[in-house]
């Protein structure tokens, strides 16, 4: 239970930090205020993993706009996050794969969902230069990956964006 709470709290912080990067000022302020109490609820190791993820995101956004590479690099840290916020060391590799699949599917869906707004506001989004066919292909790859790695551990019949963005639903069944 504690590991799941750590992972969920870390996930919430990451979502808020994404809003801080992408949203207009009033929403940024709200997201920053919501982050403060959450940061007190996680371990030092989880904070380090979140900081690593944020540094990686900043580096990738400066140097690489290839959507597939971007997703893969972010997914690696998602695997690291899930692996390090649980006590189940015997399932360490499996948890890493699950974390990578969750993060890859989440970041892909988030990039697709935010694409129009990101284009309009000039926010970073690696899909800006991709055509519809490429976007569909990327979504198909990471959705299939999620389905093959994560879905066997879930009691969910149909996966969709809302399922992927509800980590409590996913993590409570793993």
């Amino acid at each position: 239970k504690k590991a799941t709470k750590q992972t969920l709290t870390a996930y919430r912080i990451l979502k808020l930090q994404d809003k801080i990067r992408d949203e207009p000022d009033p929403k940024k302020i709200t997201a920053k205020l919501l982050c403060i109490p959450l940061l007190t609820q996680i371990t030092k190791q989880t904070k380090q993993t979140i900081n690593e993820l944020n540094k990686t995101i900043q580096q990738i956004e400066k140097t690489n706009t290839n959507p597939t590479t971007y997703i893969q690099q972010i997914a690696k840290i998602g695997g690291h996050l899930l692996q390090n916020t649980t006590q189940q060391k015997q399932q360490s590799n499996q948890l890493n794969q699950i974390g990578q699949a969750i993060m890859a599917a989440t970041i892909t869906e988030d990039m697709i969902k935010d694409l129009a707004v990101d284009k309009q506001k000039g926010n970073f989004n690696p899909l800006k230069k991709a055509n519809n066919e490429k976007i569909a292909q990327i979504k198909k790859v990471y959705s299939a990956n999620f389905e093959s790695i994560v879905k066997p551990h879930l009691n969910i019949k149909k996966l969709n964006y809302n399922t992927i963005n509800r980590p409590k639903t996913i993590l409570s069944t793993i």
Side-chain angles (χ1 to χ4, degrees):
K1 290 281 184 194
K2 186 176 181 181
T4 300
K5 185 176 180 181
Q6 282 287 300
T7 307
L8 288 171
T9 302
Y11 183 87
R12 286 186 195 109
I13 291 167
L14 291 172
K15 292 294 280 181
L16 288 169
Q17 289 175 340
D18 181 53
K19 285 185 185 218
I20 291 168
R21 281 190 297 277
D22 292 347
E23 296 294 335
D25 286 338
K27 289 187 180 181
K28 280 184 186 183
I29 293 167
T30 303
K32 284 180 183 179
L33 290 174
L34 291 171
C35 262
I36 293 168
L38 292 176
L39 288 168
T40 64
Q41 298 174 21
I42 59 174
T43 65
K44 185 176 181 179
Q45 184 178 15
T46 303
K47 284 180 190 175
Q48 288 173 334
T49 302
I50 290 171
N51 287 336
E52 182 183 332
L53 176 59
N54 282 318
K55 286 178 187 175
T56 300
I57 289 170
Q58 289 171 353
Q59 284 179 324
I60 296 167
E61 288 181 359
K62 288 179 184 174
T63 60
N64 190 346
T65 56
N66 178 299
T68 303
T69 305
Y70 179 82
I71 294 165
Q72 289 170 347
Q73 290 178 332
I74 301 296
K76 284 181 187 175
I77 295 170
H80 183 71
L81 179 66
L82 184 57
Q83 183 178 16
N84 289 324
T85 55
T86 63
Q87 307 300 318
Q88 303 173 5
K89 297 301 177 198
Q90 71 276 11
Q91 297 176 343
S92 184
N93 290 335
Q94 184 180 24
L95 289 170
N96 189 295
Q97 288 180 330
I98 291 169
Q100 285 192 40
I102 291 169
M103 186 62 82
T106 302
I107 196 74
T108 301
E109 291 294 333
D110 189 55
M111 288 175 3
I112 293 168
K113 181 179 81 62
D114 294 346
L115 183 58
V117 172
D118 289 342
K119 282 182 177 179
Q120 181 184 18
K121 293 182 177 183
N123 294 339
F124 176 83
N125 190 323
L127 296 177
K128 279 184 184 178
K129 296 179 181 175
N131 61 32
N132 289 340
E133 185 179 316
K134 178 72 173 170
I135 293 170
Q137 177 190 11
I138 289 170
K139 182 176 181 174
K140 183 178 178 180
V141 166
Y142 292 107
S143 294
N145 187 47
F146 182 90
E147 293 238 3
S148 69
I149 294 173
V150 181
K151 192 175 179 184
H153 302 280
L154 304 177
N155 188 19
I156 298 172
K157 292 179 183 168
K158 184 178 180 190
L159 294 173
N160 58 37
Y161 179 75
N162 290 329
T163 304
I164 291 170
N165 271 312
R166 286 196 185 115
K168 189 171 187 175
T169 303
I170 294 168
L171 296 170
S172 64
T173 60
I174 293 175

